[in-house]
Amino acid sequence: MSRNLSTLLLLSLLLCSCIKEQKVKKELIGSWRYDLVSMKKENFKDQTDPAQRSYMETMMQALSLAQLDLFDDGSAVFQLDDTLQKGNWHVQNNGKELVMDLVEGPQVSRIQRIAQDTIYLHSVSDPGPQFTRILVPAN
């Protein structure tokens, strides 16, 4: 009896995890652009180190020119100027992480929140000072 209960509990947890990941995936599907104004507002309020601030601003400026397309079939396209990177994406860790596997290898971002057509991501895998990346619909 206790073994059946344990199995039932495990299956329930796995089902809940899959449902959560599917819900998050549905919210992420679309064309996104990085919002420079929002990223500066979010990240500079507590950043006082001039070197880190300069690095972050340079990265934010570059990202603000990019578009990220996440498709229902798990494919992804990251476009910056004339550079087009195609790959795949998925969510993991019960919908708490976005993994994009592009040309340069997998990039993991913690999903801080998704609110009113805005995605807040914090990179886990990028080198250098970390900052919140804020994406809004591209169209």
Side-chain angles (χ1 to χ4, degrees), residues 14-27 91 93-96:
L14 288 173
L15 179 62
C16 287
S17 174
C18 290
I19 291 171
K20 172 71 173 169
E21 287 183 2
Q22 288 302 315
K23 180 183 180 293
V24 170
K25 181 179 178 182
K26 187 176 178 181
E27 292 178 297
V91 292
N93 195 11
N94 198 23
K96 295 177 185 172

Side-chain angles (χ1 to χ4, degrees), residues 13 32 44 62 76 95 118-119:
L13 286 173
W32 302 95
F44 288 165
T118 305
I119 303 170

Side-chain angles (χ1 to χ4, degrees), residues 20 42 56-57 64 70 91 93-94 111 132:
K20 172 71 173 169
E42 176 77 16
M56 289 166 48
E57 185 158 15
S64 72
L70 302 174
V91 292
N93 195 11
N94 198 23
I111 301 171
T132 300

Side-chain angles (χ1 to χ4, degrees), residues 35-50:
D35 186 343
L36 179 62
V37 173
S38 296
M39 287 190 295
K40 284 183 175 183
K41 183 178 178 184
E42 176 77 16
N43 292 288
F44 288 165
K45 61 186 175 192
D46 298 323
Q47 182 55 258
T48 57
D49 182 298

Side-chain angles (χ1 to χ4, degrees), residues 34 58 61-68 77-85:
Y34 294 84
T58 300
Q61 287 281 10
L63 285 173
S64 72
L65 303 173
Q67 180 169 317
L68 175 63
V77 176
F78 180 83
Q79 184 172 359
L80 178 60
D81 296 326
D82 294 333
T83 304
L84 189 71
Q85 291 187 43

